[in-house]
Amino acid sequence: MSRDFATQTHLAHTRATDWLTAAGLRPTRQRLALAALLVGDGQDRHVTAEKLFVAAQHGGEKVSLATVYNTLRAFCDAGLLTEITVDASRSYFDTRTDDHPHFFWEDTQVLTDAPSDQLEILRLPEAPDGCEIARVDVVIRLRRPA
Amino acid sequence: MSRDFATQTHLAHTRATDWLTAAGLRPTRQRLALAALLVGDGQDRHVTAEKLFVAAQHGGEKVSLATVYNTLRAFCDAGLLTEITVDASRSYFDTRTDDHPHFFWEDTQVLTDAPSDQLEILRLPEAPDGCEIARVDVVIRLRRPA
DNA sequence: TTAAGTGCAAATTATTTGCAGTAAG
DNA sequence: CTTACTGCAAATAATTTGCACTTAA
């Protein structure tokens, strides 16, 4: 809570590097910057390409939007992120890669984790013949009452 | 099962008309054609704009793609359809408007209903303060094993 | 008659891609 | 060195929109 800036930055960098190399991805300057924003503080995050791009710029990083897109795709392919689709016009990327439920705030278009220990699925429809369940997406859409 | 074509068509037309007027929508030629394709036989359906457009053309109906989009949106706004988002690049529209689970076949990109009686959610994360749950989307993603 | 609905073509928006240059191993 | 990565600008693809025309009520 009271670590100084240098230490925090250093930790973020280390974590980002490990995260990338563990997945066999080259830790380039751009990827490190994006990775640090995603997992630098060990917190789970849900980002859109645009939001991450803005965050990077805000942090003084020089990364192109196309690279942000390509990088997010690369991270997904490497299993570092999961893509979650709640809004047909935008993709969200989650740093948590296990199967867990989400809240989607319809007014702000924000996606967050829902406490997974509060979800108990007793029975699930079984996969039809010749199929297996790749993932179960549970999105709880929240509305602020008028 | 063995009703003749004229009767089937007539039923479809009636059902489509009722469906539209019940929602306070003007039963125009285009809307009737699309509605008949959607609910004409009383079966539940999941369509994309493009698929519905092609189906209409195939049936000899003259409807523009923009109208298909506008119409689907109008049907949703009127509560006749529900939009389901499983794929960031395409919207699916479901003729069943109650909250129920779906199968999404990743190989064919097809969306179907999952038997809702086989899903039992024992406990759901509760909505954060000042919020209510608008809907719970459950999408079971199916993969055909290699 | 008149407000709602339609078609077309142009606009928008998120995302991808081709390719020439740059950097990591 | 050599192959992967990046940036830019152009290409895609789904969806929306402006506007003149048509049609249901």
Side-chain angles (χ1 to χ4, degrees), chain B residues 54-129:
Chain B
V54 171
Q57 298 209 304
H58 193 269
E61 294 293 340
K62 192 173 163 296
V63 194
S64 78
L65 182 54
T67 295
V68 173
Y69 274 107
N70 292 334
T71 301
L72 286 172
R73 200 80 313 136
F75 288 0
C76 276
D77 292 346
L80 294 174
L81 297 179
T82 308
E83 184 173 0
I84 297 165
T85 303
V86 275
D87 183 334
S89 66
R90 210 187 319 282
S91 279
Y92 290 77
F93 298 89
D94 187 352
T95 55
R96 252 185 80 181
T97 53
D98 65 314
D99 211 336
H100 63 282
H102 288 98
F103 282 136
F104 181 62
W105 308 70
E106 297 193 327
D107 55 347
T108 53
Q109 306 264 102
V110 168
L111 186 75
T112 61
D113 283 335
S116 44
D117 59 319
Q118 281 175 36
L119 176 72
E120 281 181 59
I121 294 184
L122 193 54
R123 208 155 55 96
L124 206 60
E126 47 189 89
D129 265 4

Side-chain angles (χ1 to χ4, degrees), chain A residues 10-25 27 32 35-36 39 80:
Chain A
H10 179 257
L11 264 179
H13 184 85
T14 305
R15 253 194 281 248
T17 308
D18 293 350
W19 195 61
L20 290 173
T21 55
L25 293 175
L32 277 171
V39 298
L80 294 174

Side-chain angles (χ1 to χ4, degrees), chain B residues 22-60:
Chain B
L25 293 175
R26 281 193 188 175
T28 65
R29 175 176 56 76
Q30 294 85 334
R31 286 179 175 175
L32 277 170
L34 298 178
L37 288 171
L38 290 169
V39 297
D41 63 359
Q43 299 262 253
D44 287 320
R45 257 194 199 77
H46 302 80
V47 299
T48 61
E50 190 70 32
K51 268 216 283 279
L52 185 58
F53 175 60
V54 171
Q57 298 209 304
H58 193 269

